[in-house]
Amino acid sequence: MVSATGMTAVLGGCGTTGSSDVTLRLVAADYGDSAANSSQKYWDKLAKAYEAGHPGVKVDVSVYSWNDVDRKVKDMVAAGKAPDLAQIGSYADYAAAGKLYEAGDLLSIPVQADFPSQLAEAGQWNHAQYGIPFAASTRVLFYNKTLFSEAGITTPPTTWSELAADAKALKADGVKYPYALPLGPEEAQAETMQWLLSGGSGYTDDTGSYTIDSTENIDTLTWLKDELVGKGLTGPTAPGRLNRATAFAAFADGQVGMLNGHPTLIKQAEKKGVKFGAVPMPARAGQSTATASMGVADWMAAFRQNGHAEQVGDFLDYVYSEQNVLAFSREYGLLPVTTSASQTMTDSTRAEDKQLRPFLEQLPTSELYPAGKTSWAAISADIKKQIGTAVSPTGNPTGVLTRLQAEAATADSRTAAATG
């Protein structure tokens, strides 16, 4: 999700939803890996096509990098200038503040029913859906087959100990990043969650309560600190300064032996001719890889401030048509968020669709971020800022996780008090 930070386009056109001269403002995240395939191009084409058939409605789109988009929207809302729509990483805090429309107030029944129950439920706050899933992915371990062969590694790892041994062999063979561990501010919460799940825990328990400082999580980060980072197996850039986009680019350049990746890495690596394999994330000894699958969903949220419910709903019905969902998913190598588009992709004979099937198969059983918790946006931001220090040579995994747990508990207490 590399972006042309701050790239903004004003798209001309019009529309037919009953009111004239309505401008819908949409803030969106960038899923491209270069200026050539910025999400701005996707939204430009989609908005112009919508406007052509809807005289009176104009769609004004601003695209920002994932480093900036959540903060940009937060600042706009705080300034009393909320967009009509925001395609961002979390929604629950805005829902709790009464700033969002419910999905049912906007979407037609067929469109709302087309979201898989797992994603629709993940979009709920206080038993009502406010978060509309926009893009989804799961994570697997990518490995460079050429580097593995040159280092004498014959099979991909299935356990942490095997991963560490393979990383050691890759380092001995001169690989720059034996295992790339991106815990920088772009997407540290994702890499962290994947490791916590593979260690037998996660951010929350079955009841939705935070378990950030669980014994298993402390053990996981301690293992990363001692067995990977401490032994120089994560490359020249400190994990806390390595962003996911940079790690993906290094993999595509043939400099990375292994890393966790989502489907967009497929196209990126293929463009550079990298021969790669993809397998489930290795787990701690005795932990099944089947329970270590992480899913990610990004969200569309509709703000009430400007009162354009009719126009917003009509535009969203267009955005979530099967044709448009498939076009976006295929352009950026992500998983469709509607049942109809997922089925079409599953049945497809297109090579690019076949490559996504392993990710599609994982999604129904994967664990998602606790996006329905109003505290998640703040906790996710704190994880991005702090987690890299936990695995540094002088880091303290117990201290960092205990601090994050305390912050999460405090945030949850405030929410409980505010909602009665």
Side-chain angles (χ1 to χ4, degrees), residues 30-324:
D30 198 343
Y31 290 84
D33 58 21
S34 67
N37 74 339
S38 166
S39 295
Q40 189 69 56
K41 291 189 173 182
Y42 171 82
W43 286 112
D44 188 349
K45 181 179 180 181
L46 184 145
K48 285 181 178 178
Y50 178 80
E51 291 168 345
H54 297 77
V57 178
K58 177 181 177 183
V59 183
D60 182 338
V61 183
S62 301
V63 172
Y64 297 98
S65 80
W66 274 104
N67 289 336
D68 300 320
V69 66
D70 289 317
R71 176 177 52 81
K72 289 284 187 180
V73 172
K74 183 178 180 180
D75 290 346
M76 292 170 73
V77 173
K81 299 178 180 179
D84 295 283
L85 290 161
Q87 188 265 298
I88 48 182
S90 60
Y91 63 85
D93 48 344
Y94 297 124
K99 296 183 181 297
L100 302 183
Y101 286 110
E102 290 186 32
D105 293 336
L106 303 171
L107 302 173
S108 66
I109 292 174
V111 170
Q112 192 171 7
D114 204 18
F115 296 117
S117 58
Q118 180 209 24
L119 295 179
E121 290 170 5
Q124 291 182 0
W125 176 80
N126 202 23
H127 309 295
Q129 185 182 352
Y130 293 89
I132 306 170
F134 181 75
S137 68
T138 57
R139 304 297 167 100
V140 298
L141 183 78
F142 283 76
Y143 64 98
N144 185 310
K145 290 184 174 181
T146 302
L147 297 181
F148 265 48
S149 178
E150 291 173 350
I153 305 169
T154 57
T155 58
T158 60
T159 65
W160 287 2
S161 59
E162 290 176 0
L163 185 149
D166 291 346
K168 183 177 179 181
L170 290 163
K171 181 184 179 182
D173 202 49
V175 175
K176 185 174 182 179
Y177 293 93
Y179 178 85
L181 183 65
L183 296 179
E186 180 190 7
E187 209 178 30
Q189 82 285 2
E191 181 74 14
T192 301
M193 182 171 170
Q194 181 63 82
W195 277 100
L196 299 186
L197 289 173
S198 69
S201 187
Y203 290 134
T204 58
D205 60 20
D206 292 340
T207 68
S209 299
Y210 281 113
T211 54
I212 297 174
D213 64 347
S214 69
T215 299
E216 293 89 348
N217 288 345
I218 291 171
D219 289 346
T220 293
L221 290 194
T222 301
W223 187 90
L224 284 173
K225 176 180 180 292
D226 295 343
E227 300 301 324
L228 290 187
V229 181
K231 293 184 178 179
L233 302 179
T234 55
T237 304
R241 294 199 297 271
L242 181 65
N243 278 329
R244 194 271 312 151
T246 303
F248 275 24
F251 186 85
D253 287 337
Q255 299 176 335
V256 175
M258 298 173 282
L259 85 169
N260 284 319
H262 51 64
T264 58
L265 184 55
I266 294 174
K267 283 188 177 182
Q268 207 171 335
E270 286 182 339
K271 283 180 184 177
K272 296 290 189 74
V274 173
K275 296 180 180 179
F276 63 88
V279 295
M281 173 64 183
R284 188 197 303 273
Q287 178 77 21
S288 170
T289 57
T291 63
S293 174
M294 186 187 78
V296 175
D298 302 323
W299 304 99
M300 184 73 77
F303 287 86
R304 302 174 63 92
Q305 180 179 326
N306 302 314
H308 297 146
E310 182 182 356
Q311 292 82 10
V312 168
D314 190 72
F315 178 63
L316 286 177
D317 278 357
Y318 183 76
V319 169
Y320 285 99
S321 68
E322 181 180 328
Q323 176 184 348
N324 287 328

